[in-house]
Amino acid sequence: MIRQILFSAIFGAATLTEAAATPLYLNDDADIEARVEDALNRMTLEEKVGLLHAQSKFSSRGVSRLGIPEVWCTDGPHGIRAEVKWDEWDQAGWTNDSCVAFPALTCLAATWNPDMAMAYGQAIGEEARYRKKTVLLGPGVNMYRSPLCGRNFEYMGEDPYLASVMVVPYVQGVQSNGVAACVKHYALNNQEDWRDAVNVVVDDRTLHEIYLPAFKAAVCDGGAWAIMGGYNLYNNEHCCHNQVLLNDILKHDWGFDGVVISDWAGVHDTREAAHKGIDMEFGTWTDGLKNGKKNAYDDYYMADPYIRFLRTGELSHKELDDKARRVLRLIMRTEMNRKRPYGSFSSPEHYAAARRIGDEGIVLLQNKGNLLPIDRNKASRILVVGENAVKMMTVGGGSSSLKVQREITPLEGIMAACPGCAVDFERGYVGDTGGEYNGVVSGQNLNETRTASQLIADAVAKAKGADYVIFFGGLNKADHQDAEGSDRLGMALPYHQDDVIEALAKANPNFIVVNISGNGVEMPWINKVPAVLQGWYVGSEAGEALADVIFGDVNPSGRLPMTFYATLNQCSAHSVGQFPGVWRDNEKIQDCNYAEGLLTGYRWIDAKKLKPLFPFGHGLSYTTFSYSKPKVNSGSMTADGSVEITVDVTNTGSREGAEVVQLYLADVKSSVPRPVKELKGFRKVHLNPGQTATVTFKVTEDMLRFYDDKAGEWRSEPGKFEAHIGSSSTDIKGKTDFNLL
């Protein structure tokens, strides 16, 4: 069944929707709770505590006396991390741990296609299972609050609805392999600089409406078996032991029965950890035998110190049993699941899935004069410029860094896709010449002796004689770019790339810019460049997927999962909120005030009537589409009823293509401030030339609710609502209205 669903997602078989609707969990053993209780009753105090903390960098002990296996975690969420030494970050030296790198999650979100999320989850879950992993540390669903956050490339964009829809099939796909998905970083982890000292100050409405929905969907709809706590603080408590987030919301309100895993070194106190929701502690004091003990892991907050508090009666055995019970349940669902498949690794099917996801996620931002796609018959000479055309992007960036079996660079993809073309290359600029992370080495020599001006001059000289010039630039995985542990210093392209682009635009009118990044960048040259693609980090098949779109073998259908701002001050976090935080007088904690509240991303753009560089949901195609006037089947709905919004979409161009039809709902008159409109539905429809599809959205009362922070509950208000149908948050094709009675 797994293979069938994966092939359906890759090759577009019509059976995918039916297959995806089938329960994918393999833990339907009716005895699981009885087995958990039986094991718990047989365990000693030391054995219970032993389940709760690491025994190595990525594993925790089981109970060998009872045949309970260890738990082994692996970093994701874009591929299975190479094996490291027991007690160090450096490589273990395996020769069979080179994985497939899947596109970064920004690219997955840009597909706006839950089928792609299912294919992604199943493929990466198979890779994790083959490598004998219990928990995949991913996916990430923190909201894109600022384009400066270094870890945005690991997340699913700025909108809670889009991220919620995309995370559920990813989780289900992973867990269909008997591997737990660990959704991260719960919650409000929107800043990398000083991330373990940032106390987020946010109102309850914003917390529940913007920053929690994707986590809730992963738990309540996706059935996630694990969640990772964030490094930051909320309500003056670290998120890895946080009463409100972990106990009140996650475990009580949402009924989460899985395991809360700390981010590495995210636990800070034994008493807090015991009381406030963390279940497994990883990463604290993992720099070898630091304290001179035989096993430094026994010094973890949830290890020997926990045992001492339990023996003195200062801490409750009831809380210990709840934690151990959750870990045992995780093990029963994974390692002790007799129906668990075997998985597969670096298979042709996984490469095909990675390429298909990349094909669907690449976004055509601009295409003046229909410069793209390139006609191979008219392209005898192509000049490729830019370091990002040749630099491996799978190495670096933090814990998502990978050791890959292969990575096809954009230059290699262009050359392979157009064998009859004379493809030349110029560096154009020098960015990050490194190629090593935790012992994984790219093997590339990116050293350069030419000056910046000479690099530009050499590129311009060749550009004048080329039929097409393709510039591959953007960001990379170095510090202060797209990387864990540090945030960007600004939105401008680094390494003087703007100068390179300006010079090339003057040299050749057939000029294409491909931005490789997980974040938006400023484009002061946008009116001088006819064609712009957002290329993301596409992984192992990057070159092939980019070439597919550039030469028109694939019609682009990606849409932006975040707003691309023209300048940083268009972002509400920088206009009225804070980013980064402000240090308190003691300089140990910094408060970051989310003063923008609900008005993040396109919500702020709407409220202030700004013109972004490219709006949320934007993306072009090599064909064209027309929309009929939206219709509603009833002018009113009751609280327990629904209305249907329909619109006809027609492919009015000359080739097959896919359109993402987006539904935004607006509360016309509300007793509380609400965004101008909010995404509440989308459909990706594939149409042949001249073909029309009727797209139907079912609107129910729960889609009209807001979070009442005074009552602590979700509610709606009777009145008039508008349904806006569009191809982006700013390109609204039509609207209709209805009343909630």
Side-chain angles (χ1 to χ4, degrees):
M1 178 177 174
I2 294 169
R3 188 71 60 183
Q4 177 187 357
I5 296 175
L6 180 57
F7 268 97
S8 298
I10 294 170
F11 298 110
T15 58
L16 176 61
T17 303
E18 300 169 9
T22 304
L24 294 173
Y25 301 140
L26 303 175
N27 62 314
D28 15 343
D29 186 350
D31 307 306
I32 189 168
E33 294 305 319
R35 294 167 63 201
V36 166
E37 293 304 318
D38 179 65
L40 189 67
N41 291 333
R42 297 172 186 269
M43 292 169 61
T44 66
L45 170 64
E46 290 78 9
E47 287 170 340
K48 292 176 183 178
V49 172
L51 293 175
L52 309 184
H53 65 85
Q55 64 172 353
S56 74
K57 282 291 186 188
F58 283 97
S59 72
S60 62
R61 70 185 70 162
V63 184
S64 58
R65 180 179 66 87
L66 299 177
I68 297 172
E70 302 166 325
V71 169
W72 280 88
C73 301
T74 182
D75 270 319
H78 309 136
I80 308 307
R81 187 171 181 163
E83 300 297 329
V84 299
K85 295 177 181 178
W86 182 264
D87 206 35
E88 301 173 30
W89 291 113
D90 285 340
Q91 298 302 291
W94 288 25
T95 58
N96 60 349
D97 58 348
S98 298
C99 69
V100 174
F102 296 91
L105 292 188
T106 45
C107 182
L108 173 62
T111 69
W112 290 60
N113 187 347
D115 288 352
M116 290 297 98
M118 174 65 74
Y120 196 126
Q122 288 203 285
I124 198 172
E126 287 184 347
E127 298 241 331
R129 174 64 187 102
Y130 185 87
R131 288 269 299 281
K132 297 181 169 44
K133 304 303 180 185
T134 316
V135 179
L136 174 72
L137 301 175
V141 292
N142 292 96
M143 289 293 98
Y144 186 108
R145 177 175 178 254
S146 162
L148 302 190
C149 178
R151 216 162 180 180
N152 279 338
F153 71 99
E154 292 189 35
Y155 302 142
M156 294 189 181
E158 73 181 33
D159 185 74
Y161 180 82
L162 175 62
S164 296
V165 171
M166 296 299 288
V167 72
V168 168
Y170 182 113
V171 168
Q172 292 176 334
V174 170
Q175 295 186 170
S176 69
N177 292 282
V179 174
C182 184
V183 187
K184 61 186 188 182
H185 304 87
Y186 183 72
L188 302 160
N189 193 161
N190 306 114
Q191 177 182 328
E192 286 298 295
D193 286 337
W194 306 104
R195 59 189 180 180
D196 58 351
V198 177
N199 177 57
V200 174
V201 180
V202 63
D203 65 88
D204 283 350
R205 270 197 73 194
T206 300
L207 175 69
H208 283 270
E209 292 191 27
I210 302 295
Y211 295 101
L212 293 187
F215 289 104
K216 183 178 181 181
V219 169
C220 299
D221 300 326
W225 295 337
I227 272 188
M228 177 182 285
Y231 279 119
N232 56 293
L233 297 89
Y234 163 69
N235 205 27
N236 294 304
E237 294 180 345
H238 279 95
C239 290
C240 282
H241 29 76
N242 191 290
Q243 176 65 31
V244 173
L245 290 178
L246 299 183
N247 286 339
D248 297 345
I249 296 175
L250 178 64
K251 293 183 175 180
H252 180 269
D253 295 350
W254 298 350
F256 178 64
D257 68 355
V259 172
V260 180
I261 297 175
S262 77
D263 208 338
W264 269 229
V267 175
H268 300 269
D269 182 88
T270 300
R271 293 182 180 86
E272 294 288 292
H275 289 304
K276 295 180 179 177
I278 197 70
D279 299 311
M280 299 183 78
E281 177 188 5
F282 281 88
T284 309
W285 300 331
T286 54
D287 54 347
L289 304 181
K290 175 178 179 179
N291 294 339
K293 296 188 63 172
K294 182 178 180 181
N295 184 0
Y297 295 95
D298 288 339
D299 274 347
Y300 272 35
Y301 294 110
M302 297 181 71
D304 285 354
Y306 194 14
I307 291 175
R308 290 195 292 270
F309 284 128
L310 288 162
R311 284 178 173 162
T312 62
E314 290 184 64
L315 293 176
S316 165
H317 285 253
K318 180 180 178 180
E319 290 169 326
L320 168 66
D321 284 351
D322 179 70
K323 296 176 192 298
R325 185 178 289 113
R326 289 171 181 274
V327 178
L328 288 170
R329 188 179 294 123
L330 173 74
I331 294 171
M332 299 292 181
R333 287 168 165 171
T334 55
E335 297 292 339
M336 297 184 74
N337 184 347
R338 291 186 295 271
K339 299 177 183 178
R340 200 180 187 202
Y342 293 105
S344 57
F345 196 65
S346 294
S347 67
E349 293 84 2
H350 294 173
Y351 282 108
R355 183 172 179 175
R356 174 69 183 275
I357 294 162
D359 284 343
E360 286 210 27
I362 293 167
V363 182
L364 179 60
L365 296 176
Q366 183 163 285
N367 195 23
K368 295 179 180 178
N370 294 322
L371 181 61
L372 287 172
I374 292 177
D375 185 342
R376 289 179 175 88
N377 296 322
K378 299 178 181 179
S380 60
R381 294 171 297 175
I382 296 177
L383 176 65
V384 174
V385 181
E387 182 177 281
N388 282 3
V390 295
K391 181 177 174 59
M392 287 182 64
M393 292 296 185
T394 55
V395 178
S399 59
S400 63
S401 179
L402 298 171
K403 175 183 173 183
V404 294
Q405 189 180 58
R406 72 170 186 250
E407 179 178 348
I408 299 173
T409 66
L411 178 61
E412 291 169 335
I414 296 295
M415 294 175 70
C418 195
C421 303
V423 179
D424 202 355
F425 172 73
E426 274 294 334
R427 180 73 171 266
Y429 69 94
V430 177
D432 173 41
T433 58
E436 185 273 338
Y437 190 85
N438 283 149
V440 175
V441 180
S442 69
Q444 294 183 300
N445 182 0
L446 296 178
N447 292 325
E448 178 62 65
T449 59
R450 288 174 290 177
T451 64
S453 59
Q454 188 61 52
L455 286 167
I456 294 176
D458 290 347
V460 167
K462 290 184 179 180
K464 291 177 179 178
D467 297 317
Y468 292 90
V469 178
I470 310 173
F471 176 82
F472 288 92
L475 307 180
N476 55 44
K477 301 294 187 67
D479 289 345
H480 299 297
Q481 297 209 42
D482 283 324
E484 178 184 0
S486 65
D487 293 318
R488 296 168 67 194
L489 303 178
M491 274 187 61
L493 283 172
Y495 317 123
H496 305 289
Q497 292 179 67
D498 289 339
D499 295 337
V500 184
I501 293 171
E502 293 270 3
L504 292 173
K506 292 178 181 178
N508 194 312
N510 293 333
F511 182 39
I512 301 150
V513 170
V514 183
N515 184 57
I516 305 296
S517 74
N519 261 313
V521 300
E522 291 177 351
M523 300 182 185
W525 34 260
I526 190 64
N527 293 324
K528 303 174 185 177
V529 176
V532 183
L533 282 170
Q534 176 59 30
W536 312 113
Y537 300 114
V538 186
S540 288
E541 299 293 90
E544 291 192 346
L546 287 162
D548 286 341
V549 171
I550 288 170
F551 289 102
D553 300 323
V554 166
N555 192 347
S557 62
R559 302 293 184 266
L560 288 179
M562 74 284 285
T563 302
F564 271 30
Y565 302 105
T567 58
L568 188 60
N569 62 14
Q570 285 191 336
C571 173
S572 60
H574 297 269
S575 180
V576 294
Q578 290 177 331
F579 188 100
V582 177
W583 289 104
R584 297 179 183 176
D585 291 340
N586 61 13
E587 294 189 351
K588 292 182 179 180
I589 300 293
Q590 59 174 236
D591 292 308
C592 189
N593 189 350
Y594 286 29
E596 70 278 7
L598 301 172
L599 300 181
T600 61
Y602 68 88
R603 293 165 169 81
W604 178 255
I605 296 295
D606 282 351
K608 299 302 177 181
K609 299 180 180 179
L610 303 175
K611 184 179 180 181
L613 180 64
F614 295 107
F616 172 80
H618 171 75
L620 304 177
S621 171
Y622 294 151
T623 189
T624 54
F625 300 93
S626 67
Y627 287 65
S628 69
K629 181 178 174 57
K631 297 178 181 178
V632 60
N633 69 335
S634 174
S636 60
M637 61 180 283
T638 59
D640 58 353
S642 64
V643 297
E644 289 187 348
I645 311 296
T646 60
V647 61
D648 291 338
V649 180
T650 302
N651 183 340
T652 56
S654 59
R655 62 170 293 172
E656 179 274 340
E659 175 73 332
V660 177
V661 184
Q662 301 163 37
L663 168 70
Y664 297 85
L665 296 181
D667 190 343
V668 175
K669 185 178 181 181
S670 173
S671 65
V672 297
R674 301 194 70 175
V676 173
K677 63 180 185 296
E678 298 176 277
L679 182 73
K680 292 296 180 180
F682 60 88
R683 299 286 186 278
K684 193 170 209 177
V685 290
H686 295 262
L687 298 171
N688 291 318
Q691 185 179 5
T692 297
T694 298
V695 177
T696 300
F697 296 102
K698 182 179 180 180
V699 178
T700 54
E701 181 270 340
D702 61 295
M703 298 166 66
L704 310 178
R705 295 175 184 172
F706 61 88
Y707 186 78
D708 186 336
D709 52 355
K710 294 183 177 61
E713 63 184 17
W714 290 86
R715 70 181 184 90
S716 60
E717 294 177 330
K720 182 179 178 181
F721 290 82
E722 291 179 343
H724 299 247
I725 301 291
S727 60
S728 79
S729 63
T730 62
D731 189 6
I732 301 302
K733 306 295 186 179
K735 65 180 181 179
T736 186
D737 56 61
F738 59 93
N739 291 295
L740 175 64
L741 301 178

